[in-house]
Amino acid sequence: MARKSHPKKEIEEALRHAEEHGWEVEVGGSHAWGKIYCPYNDDQCRCGEFCIMSVWSTPKNAGNEAKKLKRVVDNCTTRKAAAEKKSSAEELSR
């Protein structure tokens, strides 16, 4: 079943970006529109501090909130390490 889309298009794009990188988007919650969860959620991943992030339904500035969501996804240390390993392996196989 497809999830409910976010009312702000910038944030919806950021949520799709997160899903493309393996993050789980959960709609609903007590005070937020939903939350995003890191697929790695391990001890090495910035102490778990950024492994869960709330997604607000009506942020003051949707563009800035979308950038923040993308930044959290892109700066995942475990994902970066996996990408570096993959590129190193590709270089060695050449």
Side-chain angles (χ1 to χ4, degrees), residues 17-18 21 23 36-38 45-46 49-54 65-77 79-80:
H17 175 77
H21 287 88
W23 288 62
I36 61 172
Y37 296 90
C38 177
C45 190
R46 297 184 288 175
E49 182 180 350
F50 296 99
C51 292
I52 300 173
M53 186 171 177
S54 293
E65 190 70 15
K67 286 179 190 174
K68 184 167 61 171
L69 289 167
K70 286 181 181 178
R71 188 169 45 248
V72 166
V73 170
D74 292 341
N75 288 333
C76 175
T77 55
R79 186 187 68 79
K80 280 184 171 181

Side-chain angles (χ1 to χ4, degrees), residues 16-29:
R16 287 189 186 135
H17 175 77
E19 289 173 328
E20 289 169 3
H21 287 88
W23 288 62
E24 180 184 339
V25 177
E26 181 182 281
V27 179

Side-chain angles (χ1 to χ4, degrees), residues 9-10 23 33 43 57 62 65 73-74 86 90 92-93:
K9 69 175 186 172
E10 299 97 332
W23 288 62
W33 177 88
D43 292 338
S57 57
E65 190 70 15
V73 170
D74 292 341
K86 184 179 177 183
E90 288 174 356
L92 290 174
S93 67

